[in-house]
Amino acid sequence: MKSNTRQQSFLQMQSKNKLIHGGEHRKKRYGRSARPLSVKNAHHIVFKIHKENLVNRSFRHPKNFKTVQRLLQQYSAMFFIKIEQISYQHDHIHILARSGRRSYFHHFFRVFAGQVAQTMKVTDTPKRQGATERLWKQRPFTRIVVGWFGLRRIKDYIQLNEKEVTGVIVYRKERLRGLSMRDWQLLWA
């Protein structure tokens, strides 16, 4: 009986891992395969930077915010990526997007990341020992969002990130589970 439940949890974990790619998962064995992309479902995409390598040290800085916003609009239109929701954090960007072709996503990831790295000025100060020259911390994290419940949950999560960074809702470790009724009302107000 015990091995049966262990086998079921392994199969559930394995099927869940087939929907994600990049970020920290790239270091694990299951994360080294090709990036899964879907034309039917939405994708949760996260681009994460090294804050210390950026001059203004934040995507929320007015100059960086306008630059990244312009580049995102330009290249999402060029590669026919429909942006459903977006949240700019200090050191990462959350995007909920869809596309009609897998190749459009591949082109978008490559060109958008490259243009942001070229456009954003990296600090001119001498590097500390062990510091990196790269702007991006990891490859873009992507997760295929399956089903209505998953889509609703990721939309709430991205909206919560936006409300937390603007100071409307206080950050909590429990994230969506720890929200009070007042916070839920503020989330989409």
Side-chain angles (χ1 to χ4, degrees):
M1 184 82 172
K2 204 173 206 181
S3 65
N4 189 17
T5 58
R6 211 181 275 162
Q7 179 68 24
Q8 287 175 346
S9 67
F10 173 73
L11 291 174
Q12 288 172 350
M13 183 179 72
Q14 193 175 23
S15 66
K16 190 184 271 188
N17 291 338
K18 288 183 180 181
L19 301 177
I20 58 176
H21 188 270
E24 288 291 320
H25 300 281
R26 183 83 176 142
K27 296 177 183 175
K28 297 178 175 62
R29 184 178 185 134
Y30 63 80
R32 296 185 197 139
S33 61
R35 185 181 298 276
L37 295 172
S38 171
V39 294
K40 294 179 186 176
N41 300 316
H43 289 73
H44 176 214
I45 306 163
V46 180
F47 290 95
K48 192 165 177 106
I49 62 166
H50 288 285
K51 284 194 330 188
E52 59 273 359
N53 290 349
L54 204 60
V55 171
N56 301 318
R57 298 188 185 247
S58 175
F59 278 134
R60 300 292 294 188
H61 188 275
K63 288 181 183 178
N64 294 346
F65 186 80
K66 286 180 184 178
T67 302
V68 173
Q69 195 173 30
R70 179 182 53 80
L71 289 172
L72 185 68
Q73 288 174 352
Q74 178 183 351
Y75 291 111
S76 63
M78 181 184 287
F79 296 114
F80 306 103
I81 304 291
K82 182 185 174 206
I83 305 292
E84 292 186 8
Q85 195 173 3
I86 189 162
S87 174
Y88 298 96
Q89 305 299 308
H90 294 290
D91 65 342
H92 62 282
I93 304 171
H94 287 278
I95 302 170
L96 185 64
R98 293 179 190 263
S99 180
R101 285 192 175 173
R102 294 168 43 94
S103 61
Y104 292 158
F105 267 126
H106 285 294
H107 298 315
F108 173 72
F109 292 145
R110 187 183 71 239
V111 174
F112 175 69
Q115 288 299 312
V116 169
Q118 286 179 359
T119 309
M120 307 286 252
K121 294 182 180 174
V122 179
T123 57
D124 297 333
T125 58
K127 299 291 180 196
R128 298 182 315 272
Q129 188 172 4
T132 180
E133 293 287 330
R134 307 170 100 195
L135 177 67
W136 300 108
K137 237 180 194 176
Q138 302 149 345
R139 292 189 183 185
F141 169 82
T142 57
R143 183 172 76 90
I144 298 174
V145 182
V146 180
W148 182 86
F149 182 74
L151 188 63
R152 181 80 244 149
R153 191 168 159 190
I154 199 66
K155 282 185 174 186
D156 286 343
Y157 178 74
I158 293 173
Q159 186 68 16
L160 176 64
N161 273 320
E162 188 63 29
K163 294 291 183 175
E164 285 174 349
V165 81
T166 55
V168 175
I169 296 176
V170 179
Y171 174 79
R172 290 192 188 92
K173 194 173 183 179
E174 299 88 25
R175 306 302 298 212
L176 287 173
R177 289 186 201 147
L179 289 180
S180 65
M181 219 27 166
R182 181 180 168 276
D183 289 342
W184 276 107
Q185 291 170 347
L186 285 174
L187 188 63
W188 291 100

